Amino acid sequence: MAIESSCDDTGVAVLRGNEVLSNLVANQKVHSRFGGVVPELASRAHQSNIIPTVTLALEDAGVSPNDIDAVAYTNGPGLSGSLLVGASFAKSWAWANGIPTIPIHHMRAHILAHFIHDTESPSFPFLCLTVSGGHTQIVRVDSPSEMEVIGSTLDDAAGEAFDKVAKLIGLPYPGGPIIDKYSKFGYCNRFIFNHSKVDGLNLSFSGFKTQVLRFLQKILSENKDFFSEGNEQNLYDFCASVQHTIIEMLMDKLIQASSKTGIIDIAIAGGVSANSGLRNALEKMAQSDGWKIYIPPLRYCTDNAAMVGMVGVFDFEDKKFGKLSDVPSPRLPDLRQSVE
Ligand code: KG4
Ligand code: ZN
């Protein structure tokens, strides 16, 4: 059984090997009116959700607690209170049932989600662009336990950039999927935003957000009805231009990473993998440069417990068990150290 509680989703899954028997996520609606996740509300919601979600996940999988061999749980990185709820529950439940725990690095789980039985798995080595609301990394993956972050955002994550821009124009949280939806009706070259210049394979989105803020201040001071009813095309063009810039920044670095490493097996993970612009850009690289691309189903892209269970299966085979005294860490070291 696996438990994921790093942010605002309470996930519980049951796996037999790499086959997913059940995979439930209790979403927390409470945050949408605040324009972002409120950590204290998230940990309270995890507390109320965890027991019913475990009960339903076992029921859905058609198994009883006695059938479970180990409990894998996310021990970081993430929100401290949220992690604490999942970790405390996982350790207590495992202890009460006399089985081991397996603490799991959340980012490693996003990457190894590609090995769940109903997804197409890349061969090693591959590159994984992990893009979510909390993380943006390019990882070189040599095996389930050998991975290295070769590029990373220096500030905001890509999903955060989508959400913050959406918030600036009054869209509800999370704004990423809404920007994606509106982009489909817009012209992406109507507004031109500059890429943030960062050395090597690293990225930065905070300058981009400031640039968009200045643009909005200017355009709304000239016409306060710029996004009002009747001017939908402006909204669509703005969203398309924002999305185009974010995706271009990501793709630039991914292309550099591929040519630097010579690796053309490219996987994506995390909530932003749902983005249609990113998917199209990857498809184009597959056609033009022969990239082999791996995009897992959405249920394994956004935060979920099946991906945590998948790492649990690898680590169970290697007998990498946790201790009752393990404490989850909001700022776990990078992937390389965590899997050594
Ligand atoms: O992986 P995830 O579910 O949770 C985190 O670990 O953060 O990712 C959530 C993020 C949010 O920032 C959300 O806006 C973004 O993924 N997202 C999208 C899309 N769907 C989700 N961003 C752009 N386009 C989408 N279609
Ligand atoms: Zn995540």
Side-chain angles (χ1 to χ4, degrees), residues 1 37 55 64 74 82 97 108 161 166 174-175 219 254 268 284 323-324 333:
M1 183 167 81
V37 176
T55 309
S64 76
T74 305
S82 293
N97 287 281
R108 194 171 156 230
I219 212 136
L254 196 54
I268 52 171
K284 265 195 200 143
K323 300 185 293 295
L324 212 49

mmCIF file of all heavy atoms in Angstrom, residues 1 37 55 64 74 82 97 108 161 166 174-175 219 254 268 284 323-324 333:
data_model
loop_
_atom_site.group_PDB
_atom_site.id
_atom_site.type_symbol
_atom_site.label_atom_id
_atom_site.label_comp_id
_atom_site.label_asym_id
_atom_site.label_seq_id
_atom_site.Cartn_x
_atom_site.Cartn_y
_atom_site.Cartn_z
ATOM 1 N N MET A 1 0.862 -1.187 0.000
ATOM 2 C CA MET A 1 0.000 0.000 0.000
ATOM 3 C C MET A 1 0.900 1.240 0.000
ATOM 4 O O MET A 1 1.980 1.228 0.566
ATOM 5 C CB MET A 1 -0.857 -0.009 1.270
ATOM 6 C CG MET A 1 -1.840 1.153 1.340
ATOM 7 S SD MET A 1 -3.064 0.910 2.624
ATOM 8 C CE MET A 1 -2.155 1.435 4.075
ATOM 9 N N VAL A 37 -2.329 26.858 -2.342
ATOM 10 C CA VAL A 37 -2.510 25.899 -1.240
ATOM 11 C C VAL A 37 -2.187 26.563 0.098
ATOM 12 O O VAL A 37 -1.137 27.187 0.256
ATOM 13 C CB VAL A 37 -1.594 24.664 -1.454
ATOM 14 C CG1 VAL A 37 -1.690 23.708 -0.280
ATOM 15 C CG2 VAL A 37 -1.959 23.960 -2.746
ATOM 16 N N THR A 55 -9.398 3.116 3.618
ATOM 17 C CA THR A 55 -10.463 2.110 3.658
ATOM 18 C C THR A 55 -10.982 1.827 2.243
ATOM 19 O O THR A 55 -11.118 0.667 1.827
ATOM 20 C CB THR A 55 -11.627 2.603 4.560
ATOM 21 O OG1 THR A 55 -11.062 3.013 5.798
ATOM 22 C CG2 THR A 55 -12.676 1.536 4.779
ATOM 23 N N SER A 64 -7.502 -7.212 2.039
ATOM 24 C CA SER A 64 -7.683 -6.839 3.448
ATOM 25 C C SER A 64 -6.320 -6.394 3.981
ATOM 26 O O SER A 64 -5.276 -6.669 3.362
ATOM 27 C CB SER A 64 -8.202 -8.038 4.236
ATOM 28 O OG SER A 64 -7.138 -8.928 4.454
ATOM 29 N N THR A 74 5.341 8.948 1.115
ATOM 30 C CA THR A 74 6.195 10.077 0.722
ATOM 31 C C THR A 74 6.802 10.702 1.963
ATOM 32 O O THR A 74 6.067 11.136 2.855
ATOM 33 C CB THR A 74 5.354 11.131 -0.027
ATOM 34 O OG1 THR A 74 4.708 10.481 -1.117
ATOM 35 C CG2 THR A 74 6.216 12.263 -0.526
ATOM 36 N N SER A 82 1.655 18.492 5.950
ATOM 37 C CA SER A 82 1.009 17.484 5.089
ATOM 38 C C SER A 82 1.799 16.178 5.124
ATOM 39 O O SER A 82 1.234 15.082 5.260
ATOM 40 C CB SER A 82 0.951 17.988 3.649
ATOM 41 O OG SER A 82 0.093 19.082 3.550
ATOM 42 N N ASN A 97 0.270 -3.420 11.977
ATOM 43 C CA ASN A 97 0.077 -4.634 11.179
ATOM 44 C C ASN A 97 1.346 -5.480 11.065
ATOM 45 O O ASN A 97 1.369 -6.476 10.331
ATOM 46 C CB ASN A 97 -0.442 -4.271 9.781
ATOM 47 C CG ASN A 97 -1.905 -3.833 9.832
ATOM 48 O OD1 ASN A 97 -2.811 -4.654 9.915
ATOM 49 N ND2 ASN A 97 -2.133 -2.538 9.835
ATOM 50 N N ARG A 108 11.341 11.257 -7.056
ATOM 51 C CA ARG A 108 11.716 9.963 -7.630
ATOM 52 C C ARG A 108 10.447 9.202 -8.033
ATOM 53 O O ARG A 108 10.403 8.501 -9.044
ATOM 54 C CB ARG A 108 12.516 9.187 -6.576
ATOM 55 C CG ARG A 108 13.241 7.998 -7.126
ATOM 56 C CD ARG A 108 14.175 7.427 -6.058
ATOM 57 N NE ARG A 108 14.450 6.029 -6.323
ATOM 58 C CZ ARG A 108 14.336 5.056 -5.435
ATOM 59 N NH1 ARG A 108 13.979 5.329 -4.190
ATOM 60 N NH2 ARG A 108 14.597 3.812 -5.767
ATOM 61 N N ALA A 161 4.437 29.173 -12.153
ATOM 62 C CA ALA A 161 4.419 30.302 -13.098
ATOM 63 C C ALA A 161 3.039 30.384 -13.753
ATOM 64 O O ALA A 161 2.433 31.457 -13.824
ATOM 65 C CB ALA A 161 5.508 30.137 -14.147
ATOM 66 N N ALA A 166 -2.091 33.208 -13.852
ATOM 67 C CA ALA A 166 -3.554 33.064 -13.858
ATOM 68 C C ALA A 166 -4.172 33.900 -12.742
ATOM 69 O O ALA A 166 -5.193 34.573 -12.932
ATOM 70 C CB ALA A 166 -3.918 31.586 -13.684
ATOM 71 N N PRO A 174 -6.197 25.837 -9.386
ATOM 72 C CA PRO A 174 -4.961 26.076 -10.102
ATOM 73 C C PRO A 174 -5.237 26.606 -11.514
ATOM 74 O O PRO A 174 -6.057 26.049 -12.232
ATOM 75 C CB PRO A 174 -4.321 24.690 -10.145
ATOM 76 C CG PRO A 174 -5.459 23.722 -10.112
ATOM 77 C CD PRO A 174 -6.596 24.403 -9.408
ATOM 78 N N GLY A 175 -4.530 27.654 -11.888
ATOM 79 C CA GLY A 175 -4.814 28.321 -13.150
ATOM 80 C C GLY A 175 -4.207 27.640 -14.370
ATOM 81 O O GLY A 175 -4.628 27.907 -15.504
ATOM 82 N N ILE A 219 -1.193 47.480 -19.763
ATOM 83 C CA ILE A 219 -2.322 47.282 -20.688
ATOM 84 C C ILE A 219 -3.666 47.608 -20.014
ATOM 85 O O ILE A 219 -4.559 48.181 -20.627
ATOM 86 C CB ILE A 219 -2.268 45.858 -21.302
ATOM 87 C CG1 ILE A 219 -2.824 45.905 -22.712
ATOM 88 C CG2 ILE A 219 -3.018 44.834 -20.521
ATOM 89 C CD1 ILE A 219 -2.002 45.126 -23.685
ATOM 90 N N LEU A 254 15.460 21.489 -22.376
ATOM 91 C CA LEU A 254 15.370 20.043 -22.604
ATOM 92 C C LEU A 254 16.153 19.659 -23.861
ATOM 93 O O LEU A 254 16.849 18.637 -23.883
ATOM 94 C CB LEU A 254 13.888 19.650 -22.726
ATOM 95 C CG LEU A 254 13.536 18.179 -22.598
ATOM 96 C CD1 LEU A 254 14.087 17.578 -21.311
ATOM 97 C CD2 LEU A 254 12.019 17.985 -22.642
ATOM 98 N N ILE A 268 8.292 12.796 -19.513
ATOM 99 C CA ILE A 268 7.856 13.944 -18.711
ATOM 100 C C ILE A 268 7.025 13.437 -17.540
ATOM 101 O O ILE A 268 6.426 12.357 -17.595
ATOM 102 C CB ILE A 268 7.071 15.021 -19.504
ATOM 103 C CG1 ILE A 268 5.907 14.416 -20.295
ATOM 104 C CG2 ILE A 268 7.989 15.793 -20.415
ATOM 105 C CD1 ILE A 268 4.998 15.490 -20.897
ATOM 106 N N LYS A 284 6.575 17.230 -31.723
ATOM 107 C CA LYS A 284 7.334 17.831 -32.836
ATOM 108 C C LYS A 284 8.772 17.353 -32.809
ATOM 109 O O LYS A 284 9.354 17.033 -33.846
ATOM 110 C CB LYS A 284 7.328 19.366 -32.699
ATOM 111 C CG LYS A 284 6.240 20.009 -33.503
ATOM 112 C CD LYS A 284 6.512 21.507 -33.630
ATOM 113 C CE LYS A 284 5.213 22.216 -33.984
ATOM 114 N NZ LYS A 284 5.071 23.509 -33.359
ATOM 115 N N LYS A 323 12.517 3.205 9.255
ATOM 116 C CA LYS A 323 12.454 2.945 10.701
ATOM 117 C C LYS A 323 11.281 3.737 11.270
ATOM 118 O O LYS A 323 10.862 4.746 10.702
ATOM 119 C CB LYS A 323 13.746 3.425 11.378
ATOM 120 C CG LYS A 323 15.007 2.753 10.863
ATOM 121 C CD LYS A 323 16.227 3.181 11.654
ATOM 122 C CE LYS A 323 16.606 4.638 11.469
ATOM 123 N NZ LYS A 323 17.042 5.024 10.127
ATOM 124 N N LEU A 324 10.831 3.314 12.437
ATOM 125 C CA LEU A 324 9.735 4.027 13.093
ATOM 126 C C LEU A 324 10.164 5.453 13.461
ATOM 127 O O LEU A 324 9.353 6.362 13.523
ATOM 128 C CB LEU A 324 9.349 3.244 14.358
ATOM 129 C CG LEU A 324 7.892 3.280 14.798
ATOM 130 C CD1 LEU A 324 6.944 2.974 13.646
ATOM 131 C CD2 LEU A 324 7.668 2.317 15.955
ATOM 132 N N PRO A 333 17.164 16.337 0.498
ATOM 133 C CA PRO A 333 18.244 16.641 -0.433
ATOM 134 C C PRO A 333 17.870 16.226 -1.849
ATOM 135 O O PRO A 333 16.896 15.509 -2.039
ATOM 136 C CB PRO A 333 19.402 15.801 0.079
ATOM 137 C CG PRO A 333 18.815 14.837 1.033
ATOM 138 C CD PRO A 333 17.546 15.397 1.537
#
